Amino acid sequence: IYELKNHITPDTKVLTVSASGEQPLFAKLYGAQYILTFDISYNAYLLTSLKIAAIQAFEKHTEYEQFISNLGDNCKPRMLIHTPKIDKVLSHMDNIQKNHILTMNRIKMPIFLGDISCQDYIIPQPDYKKLRESLKSPFPFIWTNITELDKKLGNDKFDIIYYSNILGFADKNNIKSVLESTKKHLNQNGKIFLVVENKFLDLIVNNICNVYDAQNWDANLLYSPNKDSFNEIIIQHKQR
């Protein structure tokens, strides 16, 4: 996610998975003004919006960090307990978001499930004030899976498309078509970022080779040798 910093300017138009919320938050921190998010899980949108509300609510980074820590993680999630600080955060959310979260809390359903983690990549303290000043509202969101995303986007195009840990869990028969459709939504000189778990790397790379011909495209792998780690692949048009 930190590699995005080298590729974003204020004019950069970003499409990113919501996931834990840090993907769009870091894109905003690095200067992108337009960020469209998507996810198969509506909880991911709620978690992202909750983090935005917390950033707006808490002037001090320590308060934000404590709030995120109190949410637990995807192994040991916790319910929201009504306190003045929780109410302060919820006051920065619209009624629809707030009611979703309160309903989930009443039925004891964690706001994040599966692989969505609250505590991945917490915004660093030195950058907190800058991000807080730039965040005015939640990011626009499309509720969809990766195979239906193309239809939802229409003719929209982006400078950066960020798929973090998605393709490895998609139906392997759909990976090629997803990569094909993604090309349609990339601006000239745009870049596709794929974060891929090591165990899926060969599968994803083989599909990339079938879709992005070497004469017209560059694919650079930022490789991690740890079998449990993630690798980042950056795909872009060759510079002529």
Side-chain angles (χ1 to χ4, degrees):
I1 196 169
Y2 303 118
E3 179 65 22
L4 281 176
K5 186 175 185 178
N6 301 318
H7 303 271
I8 288 181
T9 70
D11 296 328
T12 302
K13 191 175 179 183
V14 176
L15 170 69
T16 178
V17 64
S18 291
S20 62
E22 265 61 40
Q23 287 81 353
L25 285 172
F26 271 89
K28 186 69 174 178
L29 173 64
Y30 296 150
Q33 296 304 305
Y34 182 84
I35 302 165
L36 177 63
T37 64
F38 74 93
D39 208 288
I40 191 172
S41 170
Y42 192 75
N43 288 7
Y45 170 65
L46 291 176
L47 179 56
T48 303
S49 299
L50 187 68
K51 287 185 175 183
I52 291 172
I55 291 169
Q56 293 170 330
F58 300 129
E59 184 175 351
K60 295 180 179 179
H61 180 266
T62 51
E63 291 181 292
Y64 172 74
E65 192 172 33
Q66 184 62 52
F67 175 81
I68 299 302
S69 297
N70 286 343
L71 292 177
D73 57 35
N74 55 335
C75 297
K76 296 181 179 179
R78 305 182 186 124
M79 300 298 111
L80 292 176
I81 300 172
H82 271 296
T83 65
K85 286 193 174 183
I86 294 294
D87 292 338
K88 183 178 181 180
V89 172
L90 293 178
S91 72
H92 287 266
M93 305 184 78
D94 66 37
N95 287 332
I96 294 176
Q97 296 169 339
K98 190 189 307 182
N99 288 337
H100 270 291
I101 289 175
L102 293 176
T103 299
M104 292 170 70
N105 210 48
R106 279 197 297 273
I107 63 176
K108 301 188 182 304
M109 178 184 287
I111 189 173
F112 54 100
L113 299 169
D115 290 328
I116 300 176
S117 173
C118 281
Q119 299 183 54
D120 290 343
Y121 302 105
I122 288 182
I123 300 298
Q125 190 276 332
D127 299 318
Y128 184 74
K129 182 179 179 181
K130 176 183 175 182
L131 180 61
R132 190 169 185 267
E133 290 172 350
S134 67
L135 275 175
K136 304 301 180 186
S137 60
F139 303 111
F141 175 75
I142 299 174
W143 188 7
T144 187
N145 62 38
I146 190 68
T147 56
E148 296 294 318
L149 180 61
D150 175 41
K151 298 175 186 176
K152 304 280 187 178
L153 290 175
N155 296 319
D156 216 352
K157 292 193 174 186
F158 302 86
D159 303 300
I160 287 179
I161 298 176
Y162 194 85
Y163 294 162
S164 178
N165 199 23
I166 296 176
L167 291 182
F169 294 97
D171 186 325
K172 65 180 181 180
N173 296 316
N174 292 331
I175 293 173
K176 183 177 178 181
S177 62
V178 168
L179 290 171
E180 285 278 10
S181 64
T182 299
K183 287 197 293 187
K184 298 190 308 183
H185 300 289
L186 199 64
N187 282 329
Q188 187 67 29
N189 299 323
K191 298 171 183 176
I192 302 166
F193 287 74
L194 305 176
V195 178
V196 180
E197 201 170 350
N198 246 340
K199 62 184 178 182
F200 300 125
L201 186 60
D202 289 343
L203 173 66
I204 303 303
V205 168
N206 287 337
N207 278 276
I208 290 172
C209 293
N210 289 329
V211 173
Y212 298 90
D213 65 278
Q215 286 188 337
N216 296 301
W217 295 87
D218 281 325
N220 298 309
L221 173 64
L222 307 180
Y223 180 67
S224 171
N226 187 332
K227 68 176 182 178
D228 296 322
S229 292
F230 293 84
N231 308 280
E232 198 159 29
I233 302 170
I234 305 174
I235 305 170
Q236 60 184 333
H237 276 288
K238 282 187 180 291
Q239 302 298 313
R240 304 295 184 184

